[in-house]
Amino acid sequence: MSKDKSQVPSPLIEGKNYLVLDDRYLLGEQIGSTGCYQLFKSFDIYENHRQLTIKKLSSRGGEESKRFEKEFEILANINYPHLLQAYDYLEHGNSQYILFEFVEGFSFDELLQQEKKLSLPELLAVAHKVTRALELLHMTQTLHLGITPGNIIVHPEEGTVKLLSLGEQIDLVKDKDELGQREDLNYFLPYLSPELVNKSPLEQSDIFSLCATLYQIFLWKRHSPFYSENAFSTILKIESYQPPSLLEQIQKEFPEDLSSAEEKLWGEISTIIAGGLEKDPEKRTKSASELASSFQKLQKKSLSIGHLKKSVAHKKLLAPCEKIGRKLQLDLKKLKAGEKITEESLRQFKVTPVRNRSFAMGFLALALVISAILFFLSSQNNLNKLIQEFRDLNTEKRIASIQEIGEIASENPEAIRFLIPALNDENEKVKNIALQYIEKIGDKSTSAFVQFLRDENSWEKRYNVVSILGEIGKKQPFVIPILAEALQDPDTIIRWKASDTFSLVPYTEEVISHLDKLLQDEREYVRLHATHTLANLGPRAVSVITQLNKILAEDPSEEVKQAIISALGEMGTEAIPTIISALSNQSETIKQKSTTILGEMGEKAIPALKEGLGDEDWAVRYNIVSALAEISQKSSKAIPALVEAIKDSDRIVRWNAAEAFSGVKKQPDEAVKALLELFDDPEIYVRLYALYALKNMGESAQSSLPSLQKLVKEDENGILTEAAVEAITKINGG
């Protein structure tokens, strides 16, 4: 076919220089973005202007580029109605492009904003079809890792259901070693599984994400059950929060509307979703195939309930889901360097978990390691006996063995490292015995703990040990350097736990000494979590205020500086002058953060803020007024300072002070009285901004009306009269 560019639709190119890829595909408007990708509308010039979707990766080269190519290789060879079809792959300049079919419809992110819900049979049909699409991806040894409501497209009238591949597919076999560096996964954080939060993906990770998404969709809510306003809280919810069952939630919303048949159906749905949301992958639903079969059965069951069947508004959504069988042609030769992967071999593919989560097996490994004690034990026969007992994995023998290991460690510190893993034992008695010996040994165990934190691969085990250190730290200071080591952990959740745990340790001077060193660390995340720890210590950390002031001036990290301002806010009145000095920082973000913190500190900040109104920098005075405005909403004690600010020499500061009076909630009459006294001020601009303030107060300034009316009658200055009339009109509700 000839490549005649005149075939490009003229409305698209008139007056604009659109990019045409491969002399064929017209790159249109951007319609979205996710992670490091952008999405565009596109038109195939030589296929009757067929509409497409283009996914663009802006930088070529490296692992990201390889994953992008692999995504096309996988999706181009899968033709399944509930997965987005990939048509072409192109490279242009420094960018790569994948061309997908264009799908009309709405993402569930959009649908969930609407009041009109899909019926339960329709939702079960969507769940069934999306799960079948995920099953097919898993058959190709591929994880999705991006399942959210935004990645499920539905066109109810047309019956379209598509699982989009807008996340990043990861090859279970080839890509495991790269995942520790995949920070972009945080884009999908509220839907990630506990193991994926810590970069250990499994097939079951997608099942968790899908069930978190379906939990939200079945309840027709706008957020994941694990959503929180900050990333740390979201991670904690993913790790520890168990959402109420769907049945419980439905019963709360419709306490009298459920028939017994519906209640039973919701109970079954709840059980399936709960199975997919198990924290431990070994207890979670094993496969997408199992999940899909369950939803298929429940969809049929829902249609046997009369009024549920009548509630279906979009019958095309209930069309049978195409089976994944021999009729589905899979051409996957590119996946293994030319090797043909048959459907049968894919079905036989098994995923081996990255980490073994059995505490018992951990002790089996511990038993093998104990042979190292041979070098310093006087009784070889006794050690052999201990090793054998650990191998037996018998609880009673483990208890006896840990007691003997504790005695050995009491005499020889080299053996302490064999006690620490016992703190993660599934048996409470074993843990308590190990803990007693560690407390007895005291500071001789410090280096062993530090080494454990550096060597242990399981974040869960490190987390548990750091938690236990908090209890020990209430009585013994030797845990302080261990917690300082945990603040440097590569895993965010360990650093947060260490930060919280530090606040339990009463030995303030030693704690501050270690944190002071960490504040100088070259790693941003270490400085950041040292600062969070100071915030947890609150007034106990006032001795570092001078040091924090210096860091505010010198640290290159905006995030660290913001954390410092928050920490200063927790330290109380002694830190207020330092926070006020930050109002002159060159960074607008730091100025805003300081203003917010001062406002949150309330009445105790007023004296220092009032003194700060004398600062020579108008921008500092402006931000001080903003902080006073925040305080004035809760306390009338800020009013005198705001009245003082109305007299400021700078017009912008005066205007901000006048605006601040609109937020005065407490004792407005006191504010009115103070403003009326300004009517006698010799400076006309002071009288003018007092009038602006009364206008901003609106109806709460009723007591000022007589004075305003008098001013209108007596004042000969046109500007003041006009401002007074505006104030009267606003106060009267005009």
Side-chain angles (χ1 to χ4, degrees):
M1 180 182 293
S2 64
K3 297 184 175 182
D4 180 5
K5 291 185 181 180
S6 65
Q7 294 184 48
V8 180
S10 58
L12 281 175
I13 62 172
E14 186 175 346
K16 288 192 177 182
N17 293 319
Y18 283 91
L19 175 64
V20 177
L21 300 171
D22 198 33
D23 288 331
R24 175 173 181 174
Y25 301 111
L26 183 74
L27 193 68
E29 64 176 311
Q30 184 169 334
I31 56 175
S33 62
T34 175
C36 49
Y37 305 123
Q38 296 86 46
L39 303 174
F40 298 87
K41 278 186 179 179
S42 174
F43 297 88
D44 187 342
I45 299 170
Y46 307 112
E47 288 286 343
N48 297 319
H49 309 133
R50 176 180 57 164
Q51 195 166 351
L52 302 168
T53 299
I54 287 187
K55 181 176 178 180
K56 175 184 177 183
L57 175 65
S58 296
S59 58
R60 290 173 62 184
E63 295 303 323
E64 202 71 55
S65 181
K66 292 178 183 176
R67 280 193 290 268
F68 195 72
E69 291 181 40
K70 184 174 60 184
E71 178 181 347
F72 171 72
E73 289 172 355
I74 293 170
L75 295 175
N77 289 290
I78 300 176
N79 184 14
Y80 188 62
H82 306 305
L83 272 176
L84 203 63
Q85 177 74 40
Y87 291 139
D88 205 350
Y89 169 85
L90 300 169
E91 295 178 354
H92 181 87
N94 198 38
S95 300
Q96 295 165 270
Y97 302 85
I98 298 178
L99 282 82
F100 291 98
E101 63 177 311
F102 182 81
V103 181
E104 293 282 358
F106 305 91
S107 73
F108 263 100
D109 272 343
E110 296 170 305
L111 290 174
L112 294 175
Q113 306 295 319
Q114 303 174 11
E115 292 185 8
K116 188 175 180 181
K117 304 177 181 179
L118 295 180
S119 67
L120 183 55
E122 290 167 338
L123 291 176
L124 286 168
V126 170
H128 176 213
K129 292 171 181 178
V130 169
T131 311
R132 286 294 182 204
L134 182 61
E135 177 188 1
L136 180 57
L137 278 180
H138 286 181
M139 286 170 61
T140 63
Q141 307 180 17
T142 303
L143 292 183
H144 189 288
L145 299 185
I147 301 175
T148 68
N151 275 346
I152 299 174
I153 295 291
V154 176
H155 194 307
E157 287 75 17
E158 296 299 323
T160 304
V161 178
K162 293 276 186 182
L163 176 62
L164 304 190
S165 57
L166 303 187
E168 290 194 30
Q169 288 70 38
I170 290 181
D171 190 307
L172 289 170
V173 177
K174 298 178 183 176
D175 291 346
K176 283 182 180 176
D177 294 338
E178 303 167 12
L179 297 179
Q181 288 75 46
R182 299 287 304 284
E183 295 181 4
D184 53 296
L185 293 179
N186 289 333
Y187 182 84
F188 304 102
L189 188 58
Y191 301 92
L192 299 189
S193 64
E195 68 275 7
L196 194 52
V197 165
N198 294 282
K199 314 298 191 320
S200 302
L202 310 168
E203 274 191 13
Q204 288 86 351
S205 304
D206 276 341
I207 290 173
F208 185 98
S209 299
L210 176 59
C211 286
T213 297
L214 292 175
Y215 184 101
Q216 175 184 343
I217 288 173
F218 277 123
L219 292 177
W220 211 258
K221 301 295 183 183
R222 296 189 179 186
H223 294 298
S224 156
F226 305 104
Y227 170 81
S228 189
E229 290 186 357
N230 63 72
F232 175 58
S233 298
T234 300
I235 290 171
L236 286 183
K237 288 186 78 171
I238 289 170
E239 298 295 345
S240 58
Y241 171 67
Q242 193 62 48
S245 75
L246 278 173
L247 178 59
E248 289 177 24
Q249 296 289 79
I250 292 295
Q251 287 172 330
K252 284 182 182 179
E253 293 192 22
F254 310 101
E256 299 176 358
D257 295 344
L258 291 181
S259 66
S260 58
E262 281 182 285
E263 191 166 313
K264 184 178 179 182
L265 178 63
W266 275 112
E268 292 181 68
I269 297 171
S270 296
T271 301
I272 292 169
I273 296 294
L277 293 178
E278 283 283 355
K279 307 296 184 188
D280 186 344
E282 293 185 0
K283 297 178 181 177
R284 201 175 299 153
T285 304
K286 298 302 179 188
S287 69
S289 175
E290 178 184 336
L291 199 62
S293 297
S294 298
F295 284 130
Q296 184 178 17
K297 292 174 184 176
L298 290 178
Q299 182 196 348
K300 291 179 180 178
K301 186 176 288 188
S302 71
L303 293 172
S304 68
I305 300 174
H307 66 281
L308 285 184
K309 185 173 182 178
K310 291 179 182 178
S311 69
V312 174
H314 311 97
K315 292 186 178 180
K316 287 187 178 181
L317 272 182
L318 305 183
C321 177
E322 184 169 332
K323 294 182 180 180
I324 300 173
R326 296 194 179 277
K327 292 182 180 179
L328 182 61
Q329 299 301 313
L330 297 176
D331 181 12
L332 303 170
K333 290 183 286 185
K334 297 180 183 179
L335 286 177
K336 279 196 173 181
E339 177 187 345
K340 180 71 175 180
I341 302 179
T342 64
E343 183 183 340
E344 181 177 335
S345 66
L346 291 175
R347 287 190 177 278
Q348 292 171 350
F349 179 79
K350 302 295 181 184
V351 180
T352 303
V354 176
R355 291 173 183 159
N356 193 322
R357 295 176 177 267
S358 168
F359 290 131
M361 289 305 294
F363 268 95
L364 179 59
L366 174 62
L368 299 175
V369 175
I370 291 179
S371 60
I373 306 178
L374 286 168
F375 293 104
F376 52 82
L377 281 181
S378 57
S379 173
Q380 182 173 331
N381 291 335
N382 184 41
L383 179 62
N384 288 337
K385 176 186 173 185
L386 295 180
I387 294 173
Q388 184 58 48
E389 287 169 352
F390 270 112
R391 284 176 175 164
D392 289 342
L393 298 178
N394 177 283
T395 301
E396 291 182 5
K397 289 184 178 180
R398 290 213 314 280
I399 290 171
S401 297
I402 204 65
Q403 287 174 326
E404 292 191 50
I405 292 173
E407 291 299 323
I408 295 170
S410 299
E411 299 295 327
N412 194 322
E414 290 294 321
I416 296 169
R417 59 197 175 102
F418 302 115
L419 274 178
I420 296 172
L423 296 174
N424 282 297
D425 194 86
E426 57 191 1
N427 184 279
E428 286 296 322
K429 193 166 184 179
V430 173
K431 284 198 288 191
N432 289 334
I433 292 170
L435 182 58
Q436 289 168 11
Y437 276 106
I438 287 169
E439 289 179 331
K440 177 182 175 182
I441 295 166
D443 58 7
K444 293 180 181 178
S445 63
T446 300
S447 60
F449 270 105
V450 169
Q451 198 61 46
F452 171 84
L453 290 173
R454 292 175 180 174
D455 294 343
E456 176 55 55
N457 288 327
S458 167
W459 71 266
E460 292 170 305
K461 293 178 181 179
R462 301 197 307 278
Y463 184 93
N464 290 337
V465 166
V466 171
S467 302
I468 292 168
L469 288 172
E471 293 303 312
I472 301 174
K474 292 178 181 179
K475 297 174 281 186
Q476 298 193 53
F478 79 85
V479 304
I480 295 172
I482 307 170
L483 291 174
E485 177 69 26
L487 278 181
Q488 303 171 62
D489 195 279
D491 199 299
T492 304
I493 197 168
I494 305 298
R495 300 196 297 270
W496 277 110
K497 186 61 181 177
S499 181
D500 290 340
T501 304
F502 255 124
S503 63
L504 303 175
V505 181
Y507 308 98
T508 303
E509 286 187 19
E510 293 95 324
V511 170
I512 296 296
S513 174
H514 279 81
L515 293 177
D516 194 34
K517 294 175 184 176
L518 294 177
L519 289 171
Q520 314 304 319
D521 197 280
E522 62 181 14
R523 293 164 292 179
E524 178 186 20
Y525 70 83
V526 174
R527 302 196 306 279
L528 184 62
H529 283 273
T531 308
H532 289 320
T533 305
L534 290 171
N536 289 335
L537 294 177
R540 291 169 55 193
V542 293
S543 62
V544 296
I545 289 176
T546 303
Q547 171 73 352
L548 293 179
N549 192 26
K550 181 181 177 183
I551 295 172
L552 271 175
E554 298 176 355
D555 198 290
S557 167
E558 196 90 342
E559 192 173 359
V560 170
K561 290 178 181 178
Q562 290 190 60
I564 287 173
I565 298 297
S566 296
L568 289 167
E570 297 296 331
M571 293 178 192
T573 54
E574 290 187 47
I576 292 174
T578 302
I579 303 175
I580 291 177
S581 70
L583 293 174
S584 60
N585 195 285
Q586 292 183 350
S587 166
E588 289 299 324
T589 305
I590 300 304
K591 289 178 185 177
Q592 184 58 46
K593 182 71 174 179
S594 302
T595 302
T596 302
I597 293 296
L598 288 166
E600 291 173 353
M601 294 181 78
E603 292 181 355
K604 61 186 177 184
I606 293 175
L609 289 171
K610 192 170 182 180
E611 184 178 343
L613 287 173
D615 195 283
E616 62 182 18
D617 186 344
W618 71 267
V620 171
R621 302 197 302 277
Y622 179 91
N623 286 310
I624 286 175
V625 170
S626 297
L628 288 166
E630 180 72 23
I631 298 170
S632 70
Q633 296 184 32
K634 301 176 183 177
S635 171
S636 62
K637 292 182 179 180
I639 292 172
L642 287 174
V643 170
E644 189 69 28
I646 283 182
K647 303 176 185 179
D648 195 275
S649 60
D650 190 283
R651 178 175 60 84
I652 296 177
V653 176
R654 296 195 300 272
W655 186 264
N656 196 26
E659 284 283 328
F661 277 95
S662 63
V664 172
K665 307 295 183 186
K666 295 284 186 178
Q667 300 174 324
D669 289 343
E670 187 175 330
V672 170
K673 182 180 177 182
L675 291 169
L676 291 178
E677 290 176 359
L678 296 179
F679 281 13
D680 297 325
D681 195 280
E683 294 288 347
I684 186 171
Y685 69 77
V686 173
R687 303 199 299 277
L688 183 62
Y689 281 93
L691 289 169
Y692 288 154
L694 290 168
K695 175 186 173 182
N696 289 332
M697 290 183 70
E699 295 179 2
S700 62
Q702 287 283 338
S703 60
S704 70
L705 285 174
S707 298
L708 289 170
Q709 290 162 350
K710 181 181 177 182
L711 177 64
V712 171
K713 290 178 181 179
E714 299 178 357
D715 198 277
E716 297 179 357
N717 187 297
I719 297 176
L720 290 178
T721 301
E722 183 180 350
V725 170
E726 289 180 1
I728 291 169
T729 303
K730 184 69 180 293
I731 293 168
N732 284 326

